[in-house]
Amino acid sequence: MKLIWKEMLLAAMMGLVLPGAMLGIAATVETPETIIEITTGVPTEATQAPIEKRSITVPILAGGQVVQMELDEYLTGVVLGEMPASFEEEALKAQAVVARTYTMRAQHRGGRHDAAAVCTDSTCCQSYISPSDYLAAGGTQNSVDRIRNAVLATSGQVLTYEGDLIEATYFSCSGGVTEDAAAVWGADYPYLKSVSSPGEEKAAHYTDTVVFTASQFESALGRDLSGTPSGWFGVTTYTTGGGVATMEIGGEVYQGTDLRTMLGLRSTAFMVSADLNSVTITTKGFGHRVGMSQYGADAMAVLGSTYAQILAHYYQGTSLTTLEN
Ligand SMILES: [Zn+2]
């Protein structure tokens, strides 16, 4: 069981949370039955007031069925799945707000599912593990309590930009700097810009190195390249977030995001070195690197930042706002 839990945690920490509504924004129609209203323009400081627990239910696709779940109970399972309970309390709170925002935006604007706001698949929407499954897999009650407290301490709180729920993307580790949304998805969001993200070095995938033989590399690209690897690589351009924007290989120009997929890289922030027989690629960070870095959030919390400060750093120009029932 312990091993299964570790594998689940690893999957959850893949940092692969994708912007569910992002790809469908143009075609998305606002749902007519708005169940909540959003108060706008509340300054960050206002959130220091005591938080009342909100009663909101959301339809969640779990195990092939749509179930109505109380929002904060669902979010407890999301944070259990998405972030180690050993992370700082303020990082857990930041994660809770981001997961709540992601969920409510999907609920309002239409996410990837017809009858549900979100699903429990980490590769599609957000990871989720129920407290009972977490305990059965070897997790402790103390961890569950710690995470539930972080969710309840931020109950009802979401991030907005100009009155709208933001596209609250997040990921595991940036490698030191986050990425512009436009560089990864082509859509520009004023609050999803590249920012510094120091202190992530303890992350398992802060840097990774992968070595391809010449033929493995050619096979990943789906083409034969002439000469030896040392002569394959031409001009590389970079994004503001330090990712590869484009890279010339064998006379063709590839997008960094496409290379990440083709080569199975942990991020688009990578460097290549090549010799006569092989290609060595070193990546920084893990995930799409857009929005909040989970390891960066923890590093900020260690240094004394509050969850509001963490959120204001990773989603610049946004407001911490309270949902109205
Ligand atoms: Zn989903």
Side-chain angles (χ1 to χ4, degrees):
M1 287 306 270
K2 205 88 179 178
L3 183 64
I4 292 169
W5 164 239
K6 277 183 183 161
E7 285 171 357
M8 287 176 72
L9 188 62
L10 183 67
M13 296 303 290
M14 287 283 282
L16 291 176
V17 170
L18 299 170
M22 184 169 283
L23 299 175
I25 279 171
T28 300
V29 178
E30 205 88 18
T31 52
E33 54 283 323
T34 301
I35 58 160
I36 50 163
E37 290 177 355
I38 298 160
T39 56
T40 57
V42 179
T44 297
E45 292 72 26
T47 60
Q48 301 307 319
I51 305 296
E52 262 183 56
K53 186 162 166 26
R54 308 284 158 165
S55 181
I56 297 170
T57 56
V58 283
I60 308 292
L61 180 61
Q65 285 193 320
V66 177
V67 290
Q68 292 290 332
M69 290 184 68
E70 202 279 314
L71 179 60
D72 285 343
E73 192 54 31
Y74 162 68
L75 293 173
T76 298
V78 173
V79 182
L80 278 169
E82 290 284 359
M83 187 175 264
S86 59
F87 272 27
E88 293 288 318
E89 189 180 339
E90 294 301 308
L92 296 172
K93 287 186 197 169
Q95 177 68 64
V97 172
V98 170
R100 186 178 294 107
T101 306
Y102 183 90
T103 305
M104 296 315 292
R105 180 172 167 115
Q107 165 84 339
H108 272 266
R109 300 189 62 132
R112 300 178 161 200
H113 307 283
D114 288 335
V118 286
C119 75
T120 56
D121 178 354
S122 66
T123 61
C124 177
C125 292
Q126 303 184 108
S127 182
Y128 172 87
I129 180 167
S130 70
S132 57
D133 285 350
Y134 182 87
L135 293 170
T140 67
Q141 185 62 46
N142 182 51
S143 295
V144 173
D145 293 345
R146 192 173 158 73
I147 282 174
R148 182 172 277 125
N149 289 341
V151 171
L152 295 181
T154 61
S155 190
Q157 293 188 346
V158 289
L159 289 171
T160 60
Y161 184 84
E162 294 181 346
D164 290 329
L165 290 160
I166 71 161
E167 191 70 73
T169 60
Y170 56 93
F171 57 91
S172 175
C173 162
S174 77
V177 58
T178 74
E179 187 61 278
D180 277 6
V184 177
W185 296 303
D188 188 38
Y189 291 79
Y191 49 83
L192 293 178
K193 296 291 187 188
S194 174
V195 296
S196 67
S197 186
E200 300 177 343
E201 289 79 0
K202 75 171 181 180
H205 299 295
Y206 184 74
T207 62
D208 279 294
T209 298
V210 54
V211 180
F212 297 84
T213 64
S215 60
Q216 283 171 337
F217 192 85
E218 288 177 295
S219 149
L221 254 55
R223 57 186 282 232
D224 291 324
L225 298 164
S226 59
T228 61
S230 53
W232 289 349
F233 297 90
V235 175
T236 301
T237 63
Y238 296 91
T239 66
T240 51
V244 169
T246 61
M247 181 174 277
E248 192 184 332
I249 305 171
E252 273 190 36
V253 176
Y254 292 84
Q255 299 292 313
T257 47
D258 291 337
L259 287 174
R260 182 188 174 202
T261 303
M262 286 189 278
L263 300 170
L265 305 177
R266 294 208 194 274
S267 87
T268 57
F270 61 89
M271 291 192 319
V272 173
S273 66
D275 58 22
L276 295 178
N277 307 304
S278 65
V279 176
T280 300
I281 299 183
T282 302
T283 51
K284 289 186 94 175
F286 190 10
H288 51 60
R289 300 169 58 244
V290 179
M292 186 183 79
S293 161
Q294 293 171 317
Y295 274 91
D298 192 47
M300 283 185 73
V302 166
L303 293 177
S305 292
T306 65
Y307 73 100
Q309 289 169 330
I310 293 167
L311 296 168
H313 175 70
Y314 285 106
Y315 306 98
Q316 301 218 340
T318 60
S319 300
L320 191 54
T321 306
T322 302
L323 295 168
E324 297 291 319
N325 281 332

